[in-house]
Amino acid sequence: MAAALPLKRPVKVGELVRRRLRELKRTPRELADAVQVSEIYIADLVAGRRRPPAPGRMDVYAPMTKFLKLHRNDLPTCAKAERTARPRASAGRILRSGGNSLPSVSTRPGLVFLARRLGARTA
């Protein structure tokens, strides 16, 4: 099968990888072996539980592109669009509230515990 033509519009990296694996009748395990990453990493990427690597990570994208027989810019272009549309989640947003000198913290249980240990006021 010849390499695919460049994409007309970016799609999610996971969708593109899943579609090409199906078209080539290959498995995520085979892709993980080719890219030298864990199968769990590929599964998370395909399922959308993991953000795609930065567009400049050619150590990941070059072997993926070769294995999936994609145009060389498809994966980085999709990754850039996806990373721009879905910004990185912060580990806990600390916001200043009113005139209080103590920051408030999001209500995620682990962060609330940590915030209390550090003396911050929880929201």
Side-chain angles (χ1 to χ4, degrees), residues 20-81:
R20 287 302 291 168
L21 286 171
R22 192 177 320 121
E23 289 171 359
L24 297 171
K25 296 182 171 95
R26 304 301 288 266
T27 66
R29 175 175 281 157
E30 292 171 320
L31 176 59
D33 290 341
V35 181
Q36 297 181 347
V37 296
S38 71
E39 188 178 356
I40 293 170
Y41 177 83
I42 298 295
D44 286 348
L45 189 63
V46 168
R49 291 185 296 262
R50 181 182 292 266
R51 287 180 72 203
R57 291 285 312 270
M58 293 314 289
D59 60 316
V60 174
Y61 289 126
M64 282 179 87
T65 297
K66 184 176 180 181
F67 183 86
L68 296 171
K69 299 178 182 170
L70 292 168
H71 186 268
R72 67 182 176 148
N73 292 327
D74 285 350
L75 287 169
T77 301
C78 291
K80 183 176 180 182

